[in-house]
Structures are given as C-alpha cells and as structure tokens.
Amino acid sequence: MSSTPETPRVVVIGAGIVGCSLADELTARGWTDITVLEQGPLPAPGGSTSHAPGLVFQTNASKTLTALARYTVEKFTSLDVDGVSCFHQVGGLELATTPERLAELHRRAGYAASWGVRGEIVSPARCKELWPMIDESLVLGGLHTPDDGLARALLASRAQMARASARGARFLDRHTVTGIEREDGRVTGVVTDRGTFPADHVVSAAGFWGPVIGRMAGVDVPLQPLAHQYARTGPLPELSGATAEASKPILRFQDRDLYFREHTDRIGIGSYAHRPLPVDPFAVLPYDEARARSMDMPSSYPFTEEDWAPSWADCRQLMPALRDAEIEAGFNGVFSFTPDGMPVLGESRLLRGFWLAEAVWVTHSAGVAKAVAEWMVDGRPSIDLHECDLTRFEEAQRSPSYVLERGAQQFVEVYDVIHPLQPMERPRPLRVSPFHARQQQLGAYFLEGGGWERPHWYEANAPLVDALGPLPARDAWSARHWSPVAAAEAKATRKGVALYDMTPLRRLEVTGPGSLDFLDRMTSNNLRKKPGAVTYSLLLDASGGIRSDLTVARLAPDRFQVGANSPADLDWLLRHAPADVHVRDITSGTCCVGVWGPLARDLVQPLTPDDFSHEAFGYFRAKETYIGHVPVTAMRLSYVGELGWELYTTADLGLRLWDTLWEAGRELGVIAAGRSAFNSLRLEKGYRAWGVDMTDEHDPFEAGVGFAVRMDRDDFVGKAALAGKGEATRRLTPLLLDDPAAVVLGKEPVYVDGLPAGYVTSASYGYTLGRCVAYAWLPAGLPTGTGVHIEYVGEKVPATVADEPLFDPKMTRIRR
C-alpha cells in the first residue's frame, strides 16, 4: 500500500489488546496504512492479553486512569463477536473487613462521584445479596459500582482486528521483531525475521516485551514485568447449574490482596499477597519454545504452590463454601509495572516517530489507544496524560535497579491503602539538596517527590506550637504526614522570616542568539523586557491547554533562567528549539533558598552589596549579586504571599549560602519551614500548582491565570485557539470550609444543590484565615457566597464560594 502525507505508514508492534485497539482507533481516524506485527499466533498471541482475567474496576484516585477505563467500558460494551458482547457488565463489589478499609471505600466512592462513575457504599447485608457465598459477619460494608465488569479481552481484540482490517489495516502474526531502523533521528522501519517494514511511525505496544523493543530503538522503557498468581477452583455446588459466564459482580477482598470472578460453575481467584516475582523481559521465551516447555504461553509461568497457601486460607475464611473445594488449575501470569504504577505513553524525542503504548492493563486499553491515536493524528490527546507521559521520570529514576525495586513495590501496594502524601520507603535518600545535613539537624520530616527528599516540617520548631493556642483536632487520615508544627511555621513566615528549600523545583537555562524569539513564541506572556525582568508565563499547546506554568528570568540579552515543572517541560522545549538556541536542565548543579516573610529584607540586605529596597529591587525582578561570600542569582518572587527572594547558587556553595543566612538571621528569629506550611500559604494567596489545579485540559482563563496571556502581541503557541474560545463553562473556584475544624485533602467531589458538580484539586488548612481552603473545578458563574458541600470520607462538609485572593488581596505584603 502506498503512503501519502495524509495516510502515513504505521507499524504497531504487538497485537494484544492495546495494539488491536490502537489499529482500530487509528483507522477510524483515516490512517489506514497500518501494519500490526505479532511474534505469536493470532488471535491469542501469548502476551498478557491472552491470560488476563478481564476485571475492569473503573474508579481510581487518578482522574486520568478513570477516564481511560470509562472509555474502555464504553467501547467494549459496543463491540461483539458472533453475538457475544466484549464486555460483561456484572458490576463490581469491593469489600471492607476493617474500619480503615471502609474509610478507604468511602474515599473511593468520592473519587467515583468526582470522576463521573456510578457507585455507592452498601451494607454488609447488601454485600451478601450480591455475593451470597461470602461470610457476612466479616464484612463492614462494600463499594458497589454497577457499571464495572468483565472485559473479554481476546474477543475485543478480534472485534477490533476485524474493524481495522476492513478499513485497510493488516495483522501479521509469527513475525518476530529483530531491529528498528532509523535515519537522521527518525524511525524509518521495523526489521523482523520475515522481512523489513518501512514506517513513518512505529508504536511499541509489546507489553512486558516493551524494554526489549525499546532497546532496539535506543529508547528507555522504565517497565518491570512481574508474575501474579491466578487460580481456578473445581466445580462448586453453590454454582451448580450456572450457564452464564458470570452473574455476580467482580469481587475485591483488598484487605487480603485478593480478587474473585466467576467462570460459570467455578471461581477464579487472583492474588497480590505473595512475594514479588520479577521477570526478566529479555529472558521471556518465544511462543513455540514456551509451549515446548509445557507452558501455556510465554506470559504464563508455573504456579508456585508455596506462595498460594496463605491466600487460599484467606479465601476459605471469606467464603466458607471453598473449605471443601480444591484448586483445579493455576498459573503465574506476567504483567507490566512501572515505578509509579502508571502507563508509559508518548513519542520519543530522541527517535522521532517512535511511540510507546506500554504498561497498559486491559482496564485502560481502549482508552489508552484512543488517546495515543489522537496524539498521533491530531497532535494532542483529548485528555490530560501528564501522569503517563514517557518523559515524566527523572534520570535518577531510570536505572534498572530503581525500576526493578519500585516496580516490585508497586506490585506489593496494588491494594494497599495509600495516603496521598505517603512517600516511598526505598530507595531513600536518593536526591538531597546541599542543605540536607542542616535539615536533618533541625529534625526535618522528609517526604519524597521526584526522588528528592523534601522537608515538610521541622521538629526544631515544635516549641513554637505552644504559642499558637488550640488547633482544630484532625481525623486520623488528615493527621497522617501532618504536624501542628506546620501551623507554627506558617505563622512564623507571616510574622517574621523563614528559609524554604526550593532546590527540587526544576531550573532550565536557555541561551543563544535566538533564545528570546524562541521563548517568546513558545510562551503566552510578553518576555520582551530588559535583562533583570522576571515574567510569569505559560506553556500552552496548540489548543490553548496549559502544558505548564513557568517563571522566566531574563538574566542577559541571550540568557534566560526558566523555572519549570516536570521533565516534560524540558522535553517540550528541546523538541521545538531551533539550532541557535540551547536548552539545558541545571537543577542538579544548582540550589535555591526561598527567604520569605516581613523581615526578609532585614535578613538579606546586610549580607549583600546591592540595594534590596523596593525602589531598587522591585517585585518580579532579578539580580546577580552576592550573599556574603556566595555569588547568587536573586529573584524577587514569593509563592507564600510575603516579602522575599529566591536565592540561587551552585550546589557546591549551597551549604555556605544556607549557613550565611542562618547565622545572620538568628537575631531575627529565622526558622526553616517546610512544604506543608508552603502549601497552606500558597493556597491562601490562590497560587496554582500545575498538574494539580490545572493541566492541558484547561485553558488559562477558566483556570484563573489569564493575566499571564498577552493576546495583543505577536503569535505564540496556542494563541489562535484561545482567540476562538467562547465563554468558559467551568472555573477553578476558591472555597472556604464553613466549619473551622473541617479539613479536606483534594480530589473530593463537590455538590451544588445536592448534585455532584465538580471536584477539589488542592486543599490545605489556611492557618492565617482559620479555615480550610479548597480549590475546585465547578460550573462557571457561581456567585460569591454560594453554599456547596464537599464529600469527605462519606460526610457532606459545607463550604462557601469565596473571592480570591483570600489573603492580602491588594498585594501590600509582597510589594513593600
């Protein structure tokens, strides 16, 4: 088939559920020159799809994963093969046998309401009605989600193969990929043991073979396959006479890391309770060799009886009818895990045209395929995928040992109750700022992000708590990874001066004769200012969605320092940078101290030869100067709503900078303050956090950052799309909880007039305001004073729409 620019040649590697779904989605969008290569036989080639039990629970703490699962259910429900539906909508039931799990199910019910999935908490008696075989006396309650069910993955693959083939796609089995051809940084073809296939785009949808294909392409795929136990009972009297594949909801017993589904008159049981069983993707046997060794398929490993025994005892406790049953068959099936449990999606910058659609489970398969197809054909997916972007991992998180250790931990934690602030335990510490030793001496409570150790508060400040007076009591969940010391640190910042370690925030250096034109074109605000100016701006995509927010400091005519968010920002700029512009990440070689509070000038002015007065060093200005013996780039910025500066220097001088500030600040009562206080203070000022409050699903005006867009200047990425947008139908809206003792944490559903109308993004107690502050996406036009309710662990908490900024609306504390 000949190729034209409108119908590029696409080779998809892997004809599992993801590859078949992708071929269907691409051909539906008019890309019909699609070749899907598979090393095994079709339609059951022997990867994870061939043995997947098919459970689809849509609800997830991740809005993105929930959206991907919802589309998978919608699509598979619409497909059938010979009159048999590709989705059996029996519903889902998650059981709680402990108070902690019941609280977690209430939170999951909240996620369901936030993301638009039907679900309700049901009584033990209702759980018994839905699953008569369980011992009701063990159950405290359940979460029933009636639209969940069983995906018939092989049938769905067949149905989509047929549709894609009818539009021109071809599926070739028994083709083992042996190489990826490239030229001038672009993919040009796929080499197999049966010939070479030219390609303009290649998509690796190879499942746990992803790292193998990635190595051929020179593209890192941070994925670790692990084996997972699945067993099937013999016929059960309680299911005698059953004719349907399943009639009861798919069942989760997460307190024992187990799940259950019917197989007509038998029950299938999956367990995550055993030790991690990592699999080397480079050692997985080819299909025929696996069969020759009495394995059903390459992804099906022998059942390990010694790992099964504890789970079987737990099964029999939950379902007394299983006490006389026997396991008829079992295997250890291989699945893909990443360091953070999310898929790996997107196009490689190092090899253009080479795409990853990896670490995708059946639950999210069709949704991922749709998103990747949109990305390829339209240039962007219709939903936010930053949590899945292949660029999201730091270099320090890509070592084979890290991927193995974190992938194994993701397996262990599949059904764990995970607090949103819960840090990983290993490997730590991995990345530390130059101030780490001093922070340890001050009793820092470290959490982790991006591999960085990040102080959330300091026990050295505990004596300050007594002066606060009584603080509202917290429930056990919101009190986790929190301390009243955070309140003391927030108050001390508002009254005196505090040092904040801002080192983990990403810093990019952009240089070269074309750097101003480049950054001005790529971002939304006006950067054509004299050196010394700092500008808050946005990275937008072509549709006007917010890819990131930046602070851009022009330090010299052709040199800029850019404060960015994720590795994706660096990747995005590098993709678009012309030859006369150089972009590099300088984060690891530098560090930053935020010096903030009413006494910040009293601290820094005696240490520097430059004039730090408001008249000489205005807000959003930068200077290269000295603090004591240390050369610094000082920027007058504040994300806590107080006077102050961000002070940058090289990593080797970081400790000297900290000690200089600390010693000079002692007579001013300087303290070190952590991220917990920082988050409280920034929410009181209404400062947005990209990736939490706003993503590329949102435009600047509805997100409340329209001030960073200059529509009156020359063209920039996203301008045309913003010019064509109508009135916003939703807004990022500030809420104040009515009860001074109430707290929410984020992702909770918000009810207007009794109906779910949106969800909380960020939330934190505002210690200056004496109320919890929550930002939420809600319908536009809700007037100030409107009463709403936020559902927190099953309770409806009243809140009120407020004006922003909630604190210091005239900005007098920052501009002085």
Side-chain angles (χ1 to χ4, degrees):
M1 183 181 295
S2 62
S3 172
T4 69
E6 289 74 30
T7 58
R9 299 166 299 182
V10 179
V11 174
V12 179
I13 302 173
I17 188 63
V18 177
C20 292
S21 297
L22 181 58
D24 184 48
E25 295 287 342
L26 285 172
T27 55
R29 287 166 173 78
W31 283 21
T32 55
D33 190 350
I34 312 293
T35 301
V36 183
L37 301 175
E38 175 54 58
Q39 65 177 340
L42 291 174
S48 298
T49 300
S50 301
H51 67 68
L55 281 72
V56 176
F57 285 91
Q58 298 171 84
T59 304
N60 194 284
S62 165
K63 179 176 180 287
T64 296
L65 286 187
T66 302
L68 297 174
R70 286 182 65 192
Y71 181 77
T72 300
V73 169
E74 175 187 325
K75 183 175 187 181
F76 288 0
T77 302
S78 72
L79 298 175
D80 71 85
V81 175
D82 299 330
V84 178
S85 174
C86 294
F87 192 78
H88 191 19
Q89 204 156 47
V90 291
L93 178 63
E94 303 177 46
L95 300 178
T97 60
T98 66
E100 294 76 17
R101 181 66 63 180
L102 185 59
E104 172 69 359
L105 294 188
H106 277 286
R107 286 187 287 271
R108 288 181 58 76
Y111 299 147
S114 291
W115 317 144
V117 176
R118 288 201 302 157
E120 64 172 339
I121 299 297
V122 296
S123 68
R126 177 60 175 153
C127 293
K128 179 74 171 178
E129 289 178 14
L130 292 167
W131 255 91
M133 292 172 63
I134 65 172
D135 182 349
E136 180 186 355
S137 68
L138 300 177
V139 178
L140 301 181
L143 172 61
H144 182 219
T145 45
D147 298 327
D148 291 337
L150 295 167
R152 298 181 171 113
L154 287 177
L155 279 187
S157 296
R158 286 175 56 193
Q160 292 175 104
M161 285 173 60
R163 297 202 320 181
S165 297
R167 301 183 191 116
R170 57 177 175 169
F171 292 78
L172 304 177
D173 62 1
R174 299 293 190 172
H175 281 65
T176 299
V177 174
T178 58
I180 305 294
E181 293 188 332
R182 67 197 89 174
E183 184 177 335
D184 297 329
R186 280 205 65 89
V187 70
T188 59
V190 177
V191 183
T192 77
D193 59 350
R194 298 176 64 179
T196 298
F197 296 83
D200 302 304
H201 296 273
V202 173
V203 184
S204 178
F208 54 77
W209 283 287
V212 179
I213 302 301
R215 181 176 293 182
M216 296 177 191
V219 174
D220 178 46
V221 181
L223 176 161
Q224 177 60 53
L226 288 108
H228 155 63
Q229 288 201 305
Y230 192 78
R232 191 180 298 196
T233 69
L236 299 173
E238 291 77 8
L239 301 178
S240 177
T243 56
E245 177 188 5
S247 60
K248 302 174 184 60
I250 49 177
L251 182 69
R252 277 175 168 169
F253 182 23
Q254 290 128 307
D255 289 325
R256 291 296 184 269
D257 295 310
L258 293 166
Y259 64 81
F260 305 83
R261 58 152 295 180
E262 295 167 284
H263 292 279
T264 312
D265 62 350
R266 295 161 169 81
I267 292 180
I269 307 163
S271 171
Y272 292 101
H274 56 83
R275 61 195 167 95
L277 299 168
V279 173
D280 180 358
F282 294 89
V284 176
L285 298 176
Y287 186 90
D288 291 326
E289 188 173 344
R291 296 284 289 178
R293 297 193 186 186
S294 300
M295 295 166 58
D296 288 340
M297 59 191 78
S299 61
S300 177
Y301 278 56
F303 194 64
T304 49
E305 294 282 356
E306 65 276 16
D307 292 309
W308 177 250
S311 290
W312 188 225
D314 290 332
C315 294
R316 288 169 157 175
Q317 182 182 19
L318 179 68
M319 297 186 189
L322 297 181
R323 291 170 188 170
D324 296 324
E326 298 293 335
I327 295 300
E328 183 177 72
F331 65 95
N332 290 358
V334 183
F335 291 90
S336 300
F337 289 80
T338 58
D340 60 3
M342 301 292 286
V344 181
L345 311 177
E347 182 191 20
S348 169
R349 175 177 52 83
L350 300 177
L351 183 59
R352 299 295 182 91
F354 183 80
W355 295 77
L356 296 180
E358 297 291 9
V360 182
W361 292 11
V362 171
T363 300
H364 311 108
S365 54
V368 162
K370 176 175 182 277
V372 173
E374 291 170 337
W375 210 341
M376 296 175 71
V377 175
D378 304 327
R380 71 181 298 272
S382 59
I383 67 169
D384 167 47
L385 290 181
H386 82 272
E387 293 177 312
C388 309
D389 195 295
L390 62 87
T391 65
R392 69 186 182 273
F393 295 111
E394 305 285 345
E395 191 64 30
Q397 297 173 307
R398 290 181 171 273
S399 70
S401 58
Y402 185 96
V403 173
L404 170 60
E405 188 166 4
R406 293 305 306 156
Q409 189 61 26
Q410 287 297 325
F411 176 92
V412 171
E413 294 176 352
V414 161
Y415 284 164
D416 285 2
V417 176
I418 304 293
H419 191 277
L421 294 177
Q422 182 172 320
M424 65 183 189
E425 296 179 0
R426 299 181 308 276
R428 290 183 64 193
L430 184 62
R431 309 175 78 188
V432 299
S433 80
F435 324 129
H436 187 69
R438 297 294 183 263
Q439 293 165 345
Q440 288 179 308
Q441 292 166 3
L442 293 170
Y445 183 86
F446 292 103
L447 297 181
E448 181 271 341
W452 286 100
E453 294 296 312
R454 307 179 75 160
H456 272 241
W457 67 83
Y458 296 86
E459 285 301 325
N461 296 323
L464 301 177
V465 174
D466 293 339
L468 294 177
L471 290 171
R474 289 202 170 207
D475 66 281
W477 186 249
S478 64
R480 195 176 299 182
H481 305 298
W482 173 85
S483 169
V485 174
E489 292 176 359
K491 290 290 183 72
T493 305
R494 291 275 188 245
K495 292 182 178 180
V497 60
L499 305 184
Y500 287 81
D501 181 3
M502 306 303 289
T503 300
L505 300 186
R506 186 167 308 280
R507 292 172 290 286
L508 309 178
E509 183 182 71
V510 181
T511 58
S515 54
L516 175 59
D517 289 341
F518 169 63
L519 287 173
D520 203 46
R521 183 176 73 256
M522 295 300 295
T523 67
S524 63
N525 212 335
N526 175 32
L527 302 185
R528 296 188 180 277
K529 304 172 184 176
K530 294 179 181 179
V534 183
T535 306
Y536 178 79
S537 194
L538 305 171
L539 281 182
L540 304 178
D541 62 22
S543 70
I546 305 170
R547 286 190 57 92
S548 188
D549 63 343
L550 311 174
T551 52
V552 184
R554 192 177 189 188
L555 303 180
D558 296 335
R559 179 165 63 91
F560 295 80
Q561 181 173 307
V562 178
N565 287 294
S566 76
D569 296 343
L570 174 64
D571 185 85
W572 178 254
L573 293 175
L574 286 172
R575 286 176 187 267
H576 294 87
D580 62 347
V581 174
H582 305 283
V583 184
R584 68 187 185 103
D585 191 326
I586 61 172
T587 309
S588 296
T590 56
C591 59
C592 178
V593 182
V595 184
W596 290 315
L599 301 181
R601 184 175 288 116
D602 298 297
L603 174 53
V604 297
Q605 183 62 83
L607 300 174
T608 178
D610 281 280
D611 185 352
F612 271 46
S613 68
H614 181 64
E615 295 72 24
F617 196 158
Y619 192 52
F620 266 80
R621 300 291 298 172
K623 285 185 180 182
E624 294 183 296
T625 182
Y626 291 87
I627 296 293
H629 298 96
V630 180
V632 301
T633 299
M635 298 186 196
R636 191 167 167 199
L637 307 175
S638 173
Y639 289 97
V640 299
E642 297 292 339
L643 172 69
W645 289 264
E646 293 178 357
L647 303 175
Y648 298 89
T649 192
T650 53
D652 59 322
L653 290 167
L655 191 58
R656 183 61 178 263
L657 174 62
W658 180 279
D659 288 347
T660 299
L661 294 166
W662 189 261
E663 185 60 32
R666 290 176 67 177
E667 64 182 27
L668 299 172
V670 70
I671 67 162
R675 295 290 299 181
S676 186
F678 176 90
N679 200 45
S680 170
L681 297 169
R682 70 103 181 160
L683 279 170
E684 289 184 331
K685 283 298 293 179
Y687 293 142
R688 276 60 166 154
W690 181 84
V692 179
D693 298 315
M694 57 189 185
T695 69
D696 61 8
E697 290 185 0
H698 310 109
D699 74 51
F701 303 108
E702 62 189 8
V705 289
F707 62 88
V709 179
R710 289 289 299 272
M711 295 294 290
D712 58 347
R713 67 179 185 85
D714 291 341
D715 194 28
F716 57 87
V717 175
K719 179 181 178 181
L722 292 180
K725 285 187 179 289
E727 283 293 315
T729 59
R730 60 183 177 178
R731 297 280 184 190
L732 187 60
T733 305
L735 304 173
L736 277 175
L737 274 62
D738 295 352
D739 183 352
V743 173
V744 298
L745 300 181
K747 300 187 178 181
E748 297 90 354
V750 181
Y751 292 77
V752 178
D753 295 330
L755 297 174
Y759 60 91
V760 174
T761 58
S762 294
S764 180
Y765 200 86
Y767 301 107
T768 316
L769 303 172
R771 293 284 192 281
C772 183
V773 180
Y775 272 77
W777 281 103
L778 290 171
L782 292 179
T784 299
T786 299
V788 301
H789 287 86
I790 303 172
E791 185 177 330
Y792 178 73
V793 196
E795 298 293 328
K796 297 289 179 59
V797 179
T800 302
V801 173
D803 281 326
E804 62 175 340
L806 301 167
F807 175 78
D808 188 27
K810 296 183 178 180
M811 303 284 282
T812 57
R813 297 176 70 90
I814 291 177
R815 303 176 185 272
R816 59 181 175 182

